[in-house]
Amino acid sequence: MSAFTGSARDTASVPGAGGDLLAALLDGMDAALCALDAGGTVTHWNREAERILGWPAAEAVGRRGFDGWAARSADAEETLARLMGAMRTPGRQVHELALLRKDGGRVLVRSQSAGVRGADGRPAGVYCAFSEVHAQIDLERSIALSEALFDDAPWGVVLIDADLRPAVVNGHAARAIGTGRTTLLGRPLGDVVAQGVEELEGALQHVLAEGGPPAPADLWVTLAASPGAGERRRCWRSGFVRLASPLTEEPVPLGVAWLFQDVTEERLAAREADRTRFRWNQLHRAGVAAAEYADPAEAVAVLLDFALAGFADHGLVDRVAGARRLTRAVASPAGAPDADGLGGGFPQRYGPEHPALQAWDRAGSVRVDACRRAGGGGHVGGDAAAWAAERHWPADTAHALCTALRSRGRTVGVLTFLRTAARGGFDRQDALYAETVAARVAAALDAPPPPH
């Protein structure tokens, strides 16, 4: 008896577990499978082959070749010859074949065929596994997409397993995070994300639990400090897709595909544009309002009130009252705690290194923070309250910006903006805005008295 005698269904009737196992293996395959003996007669035909072509095993097994049933007469001999050629060629042969369904429709399949040898080592036939071309192309596209995402994608791709640990990381993601592709594998996300990891893990947990991925969202994270570099604050535009196994009856989550792009620069630019528009609108409103006051001090107070919105917590205006002497002219907001600042025309008890006096000497701006000396040196001993008290500022002050009030070629005072620890320190853009406010305050403060 030939090694190929019997169909998958016929094999099931062979006594013993071996026949049952062979039948189960053939009919359980995802790919269509047929086998032909050395003479070209069909010996095996599984259920997937029946599904694709419509021919049951009972009608397929025992036929020689495909003429008159599974292929057009014009193609049948060539189709058979291409398949049988695998007996004389080592390895697998891949072909695209046009076959006929039982209902008369044509279907294009991609086949892989290989020769089979008998116990004596002589060619005994071929087996052929085939699937519809469009299904094969879909699979190849999926594989190609996966490879492209993990090789050349212009965005970061990280596969997160069900335990919220990276399983696969592409090159773009590794560069964005600042580590190697394999370094992240199996590690908790908190090892590389210092701040924002709760929001990231919350999004991943939602996708794993709910299935429907939320819309893309901006995630602000602070990456853990790496050797030779400080912490980095980044904004990642992120999308999430739940991955489930296609091989189970019930969806089993395998993890989440996390795709992201670094949009930090765009978001910071948009934020800066919004901030700039707001500040210049405030200056416009301040100028219109201050123009209605004849008293320079009242006009300055109005300018300062408008300038503080979204910028600082306290504003102080000190006027020049002689050599290295400043007197308090305006404090905003009105009635706020003002440490031990002196009003009523008494000179402020500023030390020689006070930032306000430094700004006066430089005819420019000076920025200081509670954690650093006014000159930008080492750390200050004691807490921030002591640092603020030493400079005669409110006790909650953590950041200060002093800028000279210049009018008609001379310094007429110093404008000081103060921030609490709830805000960040002043930057260069803040200094430019403060100097613009200072120019208007100086003009109002130094305005000539109105004619009687």
Side-chain angles (χ1 to χ4, degrees), residues 83-117:
L83 293 179
M84 299 307 293
M87 283 198 307
R88 299 178 298 275
T89 306
R92 292 180 300 172
Q93 303 296 309
V94 178
H95 303 287
E96 288 190 357
L97 308 173
L99 301 180
L100 284 180
R101 292 178 50 84
K102 188 175 182 180
D103 60 12
R106 299 187 72 193
V107 58
L108 185 64
V109 302
R110 180 169 294 175
S111 70
Q112 295 188 40
S113 56
V116 177
R117 295 185 178 274

Side-chain angles (χ1 to χ4, degrees), residues 36-285:
L36 301 93
D37 64 15
T41 299
V42 177
T43 61
H44 291 77
W45 191 265
N46 72 350
R47 280 194 175 92
E48 184 64 12
E50 178 180 338
R51 186 194 68 78
I52 294 176
L53 296 178
W55 295 98
E59 299 182 37
V61 173
R63 293 178 180 262
R64 184 191 179 279
F66 304 103
D67 191 8
W69 63 292
R72 295 191 311 173
S73 298
D75 301 329
E77 286 302 320
E78 180 185 356
T79 298
L80 181 61
R82 293 169 71 181
L83 293 179
M84 299 307 293
M87 283 198 307
R88 299 178 298 275
T89 306
R92 292 180 300 172
Q93 303 296 309
V94 178
H95 303 287
E96 288 190 357
L97 308 173
L99 301 180
L100 284 180
R101 292 178 50 84
K102 188 175 182 180
D103 60 12
R106 299 187 72 193
V107 58
L108 185 64
V109 302
R110 180 169 294 175
S111 70
Q112 295 188 40
S113 56
V116 177
R117 295 185 178 274
D120 58 359
R122 301 173 63 181
V126 298
Y127 75 84
C128 172
F130 63 91
S131 60
E132 295 177 80
V133 166
H134 70 81
Q136 184 72 18
I137 291 176
D138 287 344
L139 174 62
E140 291 178 1
R141 284 192 184 121
S142 297
I143 296 172
L145 174 61
S146 298
E147 292 179 348
L149 287 175
F150 288 103
D151 288 336
D152 305 318
W155 52 81
V157 182
V158 182
L159 296 190
I160 306 293
D161 65 21
D163 297 320
L164 303 185
R165 298 180 183 236
V168 185
V169 179
N170 78 341
H172 188 100
R175 290 189 295 272
I177 297 172
T179 186
R181 292 182 63 175
T182 59
T183 306
L184 291 173
L185 303 185
R187 295 173 57 188
L189 293 170
D191 286 359
V192 293
V193 180
Q195 297 178 16
V197 67
E198 295 87 355
E199 292 77 5
L200 175 56
E201 289 183 340
L204 295 170
Q205 291 165 357
H206 173 83
V207 175
L208 281 171
E210 300 296 331
D218 287 351
L219 291 177
W220 282 92
V221 300
T222 299
L223 300 178
S226 56
E231 292 184 339
R232 294 182 296 138
R233 182 77 168 160
R234 310 306 297 168
C235 181
W236 290 334
R237 184 67 173 169
S238 301
F240 303 91
V241 179
R242 188 171 79 159
L243 304 177
S245 173
L247 303 179
T248 57
E249 294 182 4
E250 294 294 331
V252 176
L254 298 177
V256 178
W258 169 32
L259 295 85
F260 68 90
Q261 282 187 311
D262 192 321
V263 294
T264 308
E265 301 304 325
E266 294 90 329
R267 296 298 180 266
L268 290 178
R271 182 182 295 180
E272 181 63 28
D274 292 340
R275 184 173 67 174
T276 300
R277 282 193 296 268
F278 174 78
R279 288 179 176 179
W280 287 107
N281 184 55
Q282 286 296 101
L283 283 180
H284 171 72
R285 295 174 61 204

Side-chain angles (χ1 to χ4, degrees), residues 429-442:
Q429 292 300 316
D430 293 329
L432 292 176
Y433 176 69
E435 289 167 1
T436 304
V437 175
R440 301 194 178 199
V441 169

